[in-house]
Amino acid sequence: MKIAVAGVGYVGLVSAVGFAHHGHTVTAVDVDAMKMAGLTAGISPIFEPSLEALLQEQLAAGRIQFTTDGARAYADAEAIVIGVGTPENEDGSANLAAVYQVAQEIGS
């Protein structure tokens, strides 16, 4: 299955690598070009046991790629996972602004 993952923070990156490890073709999208360059080079910005080794394995197998171009990633995806941040608002509720922004991009 072709899967796009929006956001490569902790949830998005671990999910993307996991999907690729299970044989799916994954395109991960994020607005941070420097982070994407590091990931493309096989360097994980977060620590999770075995994550960087799995990332490098999936890059070598061609099952995962990273981009800042959401339109390209979403165009042929069979499934899209939104894993962007939802920081807490002052009242304790989740700030869903990034989720809504990604949803609008996908809808376009």
Side-chain angles (χ1 to χ4, degrees), residues 19-60:
F19 293 142
H21 178 69
H22 286 282
H24 300 286
T25 301
V26 179
T27 302
V29 181
D30 200 280
V31 296
D32 186 338
M34 298 239 347
K35 184 189 294 186
M36 301 311 268
L39 287 165
T40 298
I43 302 166
S44 175
I46 61 172
F47 176 76
E48 178 68 25
S50 304
L51 179 62
E52 193 163 275
L54 284 171
L55 168 63
Q56 293 168 1
E57 179 183 288
Q58 299 317 304
L59 284 165

Side-chain angles (χ1 to χ4, degrees), residues 69-76 80 82 99-108:
D69 185 353
R72 182 178 65 84
Y74 307 141
D76 65 346
I80 301 171
I82 300 176
V99 174
Y100 296 140
Q101 180 180 353
V102 170
Q104 283 186 318
E105 290 175 16
I106 293 167
S108 296

